Amino acid sequence: MVNFLLPLTFFSKTYSNSIAEPVASISFWIFIIIIIIQLFRHPMWYKRIIPSWKSIILGMLFWIIQLVAMFLSYRITGDTKQTSGIIHSGIILFGWTAAFYVAWAVIQVTVVNKDAEKKFFKAGIIGLLLYLSLVIIPQILVLSKMHGLSGYVNLIASAFEKRWQSFGNYNFNANGAYVLSQKRVNGFEPEASYLANLLSITYLPMLIGLTVSGEKIWNKIKSPRLQQLANVCITFFLFFVLIFAKTTTGIITGALGFILWILFSRKALKKFLIVCLIAGPIVLYFLYSFVPMVHETLNQFLFAKQGTDNRLGGAIGLFLTFLTHPIIGVGYGFTSFFNIQNVPIGLTHNYEFQEIFKNHGFPILSEFLGWLASYGLIIMIPALYMIFGFFMKALLIFKKSHSVWGMDKWNDLMRVSFVVTFILFFWSSFIVRLYIWPCLLMFFFYRKHIMRLEEELKQ
């Protein structure tokens, strides 16, 4: 069962706009089925999915505070298309709560020991390779003028691609698949930036940890050097895909990920990556100067990026919404109304704002600022305290395990992957929205590993 968890999250398509995104995807329901099957096979494991009293009390406090915040905001906004409404917001928030619980529970009943951890990890990498081969590479080839693959790309996109609701000229899928309409690689995600986040937050840290630790996961490759070469090649291809996504998020996050790769690497790998870092700008300069596609991509999404009014305006609007409602926030589903009021007028003179956001609601474009505006300091301060406390505790446990067992390659892999994931997650949360399922699964996966280490160190 553990082999299916990460690969399932590639299928991000949602089948309803009326409930929370993770609940509207197929992953949620298959995870529930997996939990039921595991409990049927091991009846006593039901104890593993009963939350602690501390978690239940914290969850109840969260809900009470949010209901108060939503009620106070509803008294100001009333019924408007710019909010989800107090009942609908409650339903969607319940869906997100259920998703958190299901992600935790499915890890609890599948990742039960070290062997299961390795299966989860290896299955994730194999799933990534299939995704790259069957979805991403055909999209890249279509962008490279191989139009014969357009039918295939459009077919799988119609079945599995997640798509935003369209309003008039606001349609990312006017020509079918997103890649055919926007000329940017997106996998099955609704936008290229979501693919960049999926790859950089979930899979890039895994590959960095794998290359740094030297852990063996490919049984048919006997030579350690060939194992390392294969893993390094996969990692470099992932950076290549982040560029083809043609999104500022992917380019900047990829650059940060490469720097982290160098910092954690050792010996020959570190020297090789430093050489690449030195040679990279030189190669990039020549490509920028003589290859039109590279020149256009870097100008459009990095050097001379335009069309950022709504992203900047949304970030400013969310921050001002937080400043005007700092304690309990405005409540889930109500940020849009206040966001529109707080966006600087100079950043509203564009079609997307005037025709879509102003009439149908302003989406949260910065996850972290959205959390601040929705939940306020009364929730965010304890949440950040617990998250960073968990991070510091994890580092201490990794350090103790190293002093007890020495250079254990699996623990080394997990340590590097965990730290890189943590850094890239918080970086990305400031600049773009995050897709929930891979992030949740990886968080609880790392948490389960760290808890196992802690228990073993006590013995």
Side-chain angles (χ1 to χ4, degrees), residues 169-186:
N169 294 328
Y170 184 80
N171 186 356
F172 286 139
N173 305 94
N175 298 323
Y178 177 95
V179 66
L180 299 176
S181 303
Q182 305 298 320
K183 309 304 179 185
R184 299 159 70 185
V185 172
N186 71 306

Side-chain angles (χ1 to χ4, degrees), residues 62-279:
F62 168 82
W63 264 91
I64 291 171
I65 294 168
Q66 273 297 282
L67 288 174
V68 171
M70 287 190 284
F71 175 75
L72 294 177
S73 293
Y74 181 74
R75 292 182 63 187
I76 298 172
T77 67
D79 292 317
T80 171
K81 289 184 178 180
Q82 294 174 357
T83 73
S84 303
I86 192 166
I87 295 177
H88 193 200
S89 294
I91 293 172
I92 296 176
L93 189 60
F94 176 79
W96 283 99
T97 306
F100 270 72
Y101 172 76
V102 168
W104 170 75
V106 78
I107 292 293
Q108 286 290 103
V109 297
T110 55
V111 184
V112 294
N113 51 40
K114 187 175 181 178
D115 288 338
E117 289 177 6
K118 291 187 174 182
K119 289 179 181 178
F120 174 92
F121 188 95
K122 183 176 180 179
I125 299 298
I126 293 174
L128 172 66
L129 293 176
L130 291 173
Y131 187 66
L132 292 174
S133 301
L134 300 177
V135 182
I136 301 299
I137 291 178
Q139 290 186 352
I140 293 175
L141 293 177
V142 165
L143 290 182
S144 302
K145 309 302 181 184
M146 292 186 63
H147 300 298
L149 288 171
S150 296
Y152 167 76
V153 168
N154 210 26
L155 177 65
I156 61 173
S158 64
F160 304 116
E161 185 176 82
K162 180 179 179 180
R163 297 180 177 180
W164 299 136
Q165 188 175 359
S166 61
F167 300 98
N169 294 328
Y170 184 80
N171 186 356
F172 286 139
N173 305 94
N175 298 323
Y178 177 95
V179 66
L180 299 176
S181 303
Q182 305 298 320
K183 309 304 179 185
R184 299 159 70 185
V185 172
N186 71 306
F188 290 146
E189 302 305 316
E191 295 184 43
S193 60
Y194 280 68
L195 174 68
N197 268 330
L198 170 66
L199 298 181
S200 60
I201 294 176
T202 306
Y203 295 98
L204 186 58
M206 295 170 68
L207 288 168
I208 289 175
L210 185 60
T211 57
V212 169
S213 67
E215 173 73 12
K216 180 180 178 180
I217 66 168
W218 310 114
N219 297 329
K220 293 185 178 181
I221 302 178
K222 303 302 181 182
S223 169
R225 288 188 176 182
L226 288 179
Q227 286 254 353
Q228 182 77 326
L229 178 62
N231 295 329
V232 169
C233 288
I234 297 170
T235 309
F236 268 104
F237 185 74
L238 213 60
F239 283 110
F240 177 73
V241 173
L242 290 175
I243 294 174
F244 255 93
K246 296 182 181 180
T247 170
T248 308
T249 303
I251 295 173
I252 297 177
T253 306
L256 177 59
F258 193 84
I259 292 172
L260 292 172
W261 194 14
I262 293 175
L263 293 176
F264 281 106
S265 296
R266 309 182 188 96
K267 300 178 181 179
L269 179 60
K270 180 183 283 287
K271 293 178 182 178
F272 170 71
L273 294 177
I274 291 174
V275 170
C276 291
L277 182 65
I278 296 172

